Amino acid sequence: MIVPADDEIRLDLPDGPRVDTAIVHFYSDGLRLTGVLVTPRERVGAMPALIASHGWSGAVNFRVLPLAARLARRGYAVLALDHRGFGRSEGARLRCDPYEQVRDVSNAATYLAGRPEIDGSALGVIGASFGGAIAVAAAAADDRLRACVALVPLADGRRWLRDLHGPDSWPAFLDRIARDEADRVRAGAGERVPLGTLMPLPPSPAADAEAELIAGVYPEGYPLENARLALDFSPEKLVPAIAPRALCLITPGDDTVIPAEHSLALHARAGEPRELHLLPRGGHGGPMGELVDTTAELAGRFLARHLPSKAAS
């Protein structure tokens, strides 16, 4: 089904070549997942395709789709999926198991490869924030993914959460996670919390506005279990397996949510070909927000080398 760009599917594109959007469905571990497939209106043969993974908040629209649309203008099909449990996809509501999400990406690749307009030999993955880490892990696990673009990714979940919570709060947070695990064993369900409980951030107008938006989309709150699942997720241990396929990392130097040192750690452990783009400013949301055109240019040049589109040739 072709749907217009409206308040639900926000592309935020400036004037230029038109793109099409379609709501699509496929199955992952028996769960029906939903995604938005963004494609160029003018096509030349079978298209290379990217799977786009959203972050911990599960906010596909304002975190993923504007970049997906810009890459579609460069000749790529981009499938921005709702991982299991998020958006319209089936699954335990808002539960984020990184390895299950990696399987979602792999199953999305299988789905795309079966579409006649897609070049199944030219598949890649892109993600932002936690989704950037998922992109790295998915590329490491599935060699059909020929190129990986990771924006503001985390390198190690335990280190990331420990630094966010700080040394004074960290022991109490680990105790809370342990109590929640025991409750889930005894009663079958654990605690649900606002996203800010999982990843506390200093107050700011931008952070407060985003928290209000996310609370409106997901008022039920997130399982505290998501923090436990993130503790053992370490993309920096997985990233060497991507080579000799290509990796591109993009992050601002002033990101205080997932500091640039995480991208530096991934870059240091990755094999060639690899590239790292340290933007001077923009914060955590910049590459998907105010700097999305810069991101599209950097990612587009990388993809032109490692996942070329016939439309761009």
Side-chain angles (χ1 to χ4, degrees):
M1 176 177 63
I2 301 297
V3 295
D6 55 20
D7 289 341
E8 185 176 359
I9 298 179
R10 294 169 40 189
L11 302 181
D12 297 330
L13 271 177
D15 291 340
R18 301 294 297 275
V19 303
D20 290 325
T21 58
I23 302 295
V24 300
H25 306 281
F26 64 96
Y27 288 85
S28 184
D29 294 342
L31 299 169
R32 187 175 189 254
L33 304 192
T34 298
V36 178
L37 182 63
V38 188
T39 56
R41 183 160 295 179
E42 299 297 327
R43 304 172 185 174
V44 182
M47 296 174 287
L50 298 161
I51 300 104
S53 177
H54 60 67
W56 234 20
S57 70
V60 166
N61 277 348
F62 71 97
R63 281 299 192 216
V64 178
L65 289 177
L67 177 58
R70 284 158 174 80
L71 294 176
R73 280 185 167 175
R74 293 171 176 266
Y76 297 92
V78 185
L79 174 55
L81 66 91
D82 283 327
H83 283 290
R84 64 184 72 192
F86 288 86
R88 299 180 187 177
S89 292
E90 293 179 347
R93 194 64 177 158
L94 305 188
R95 184 176 184 269
C96 178
D97 182 321
Y99 296 102
E100 290 179 347
Q101 292 194 348
V102 165
R103 291 203 298 277
D104 293 344
V105 171
S106 188
N107 289 320
T110 299
Y111 165 75
L112 285 173
R115 290 183 65 106
E117 75 273 34
I118 301 300
D119 180 354
S121 68
L123 302 176
V125 62
I126 187 169
S129 191
F130 201 92
I134 296 298
V136 169
D142 191 335
D143 61 10
R144 294 176 300 170
L145 301 171
R146 308 305 303 169
C148 173
V149 179
L151 316 176
V152 291
L154 64 91
D156 182 83
R158 181 176 295 268
R159 188 166 73 247
W160 172 57
L161 287 176
R162 185 187 63 221
D163 291 344
L164 275 182
H165 285 266
D168 293 337
S169 301
W170 183 239
F173 187 63
L174 288 178
D175 288 344
R176 186 173 179 179
I177 291 172
R179 291 195 302 273
D180 181 73
E181 187 163 15
D183 288 343
R184 284 185 286 104
V185 169
R186 288 193 297 267
E191 188 178 358
R192 285 189 173 269
V193 298
L195 187 63
T197 299
L198 297 174
M199 45 180 296
L201 302 176
S204 72
D208 294 346
E210 187 165 322
E212 182 178 356
L213 176 61
I214 290 169
V217 175
Y218 295 130
E220 63 268 60
Y222 297 77
L224 184 61
E225 181 189 10
N226 288 0
R228 184 194 67 77
L229 291 167
L231 291 179
D232 297 325
F233 182 45
S234 186
E236 67 187 9
K237 296 178 181 176
L238 307 174
V239 71
I242 295 177
R245 291 163 294 127
L247 172 67
C248 175
L249 301 156
I250 302 173
T251 192
D254 64 350
D255 188 347
T256 58
V257 179
I258 302 179
E261 64 128 20
H262 284 263
S263 288
L264 292 168
L266 289 166
H267 185 260
R269 290 164 175 78
E272 297 291 350
R274 59 181 178 169
E275 56 187 66
L276 170 65
H277 299 279
L278 280 174
L279 308 180
R281 52 168 293 280
H284 189 64
M288 298 80 73
E290 62 180 301
L291 301 178
V292 67
D293 291 315
T294 298
T295 301
E297 177 65 26
L298 293 171
R301 291 203 302 258
F302 166 81
L303 292 169
R305 291 191 295 274
H306 300 290
L307 200 71
S309 162
K310 294 182 178 70
S313 59

